[in-house]
Amino acid sequence: MLFPDVHSAASLTVSPDRVQHFTSDSVSLTCEGNFTEWRVRKFSEDGRLYSDCRRMTGSTCNINTSKSDTAVYWCESGSGEFSSAVNITVQNDGNGPILVSPVHPVTEGASVSLSCSLRTQKILSNVFFYHNDKLVQNDTRGELKISAVSKSDEGFYKCQYSGRESAQSWMSVKGEQDQNI
């Protein structure tokens, strides 16, 4: 579920800044821009559109995640401005790992680190990383570092730890000329 970037004065910040979350995590979605009225919209996996956040405080929507929060989110101002959309995936398996990857597109030439995390342990070693189902790293390092991202790095990533796999997440790469998106 990916929506195209829209040139806009509105933006959405996710904290913690990652696509995948565990159930019962506390996640904040903050709308930013020169507007006074905001709402966070959600397009869920089952195709439903939700127009309001259950717990909105000012311009921030606070979520205690459950499986039903796996969705595409974006901000909409009272005057109809939209932010770019972001994907959020909630891990239902409390014992499985999640992939820690950026919510927003990564700019070509920038560096990025992907890691694998358990609910009980944030830093893991001996992790397998996959890009589009192809093993790209298998060693004692707990993270996959890409020092200069290129368009060929775009795609689906997942990690595997102790025989258990995370869900896969799409990492989008944008050209340097698109930096103001």
Side-chain angles (χ1 to χ4, degrees), residues 109-124:
S111 66
V112 69
S113 282
L114 307 181
S115 61
C116 207
S117 175
L118 293 176
R119 184 188 293 279
T120 55
Q121 196 178 346
K122 299 299 176 216
I123 298 166
L124 305 174

Side-chain angles (χ1 to χ4, degrees), residues 33-44:
N34 295 323
F35 306 100
T36 52
E37 267 184 70
W38 289 107
R39 65 180 175 184
V40 172
R41 312 268 321 233
K42 167 182 166 182
F43 189 73
S44 66

Side-chain angles (χ1 to χ4, degrees), residues 119-134:
R119 184 188 293 279
T120 55
Q121 196 178 346
K122 299 299 176 216
I123 298 166
L124 305 174
S125 57
N126 295 323
V127 174
F128 296 82
F129 288 95
Y130 295 85
H131 176 223
N132 294 329
D133 283 328
K134 183 178 166 212

Side-chain angles (χ1 to χ4, degrees), residues 20 98-99 114-116 127-134 136 144 156-160 165-169:
Q20 295 182 20
I98 61 167
L99 176 73
L114 307 181
S115 61
C116 207
V127 174
F128 296 82
F129 288 95
Y130 295 85
H131 176 223
N132 294 329
D133 283 328
K134 183 178 166 212
V136 290
L144 173 63
F156 285 104
Y157 286 84
K158 65 183 176 184
C159 64
Q160 186 184 60
E165 278 188 1
S166 70
Q168 57 179 10
S169 288

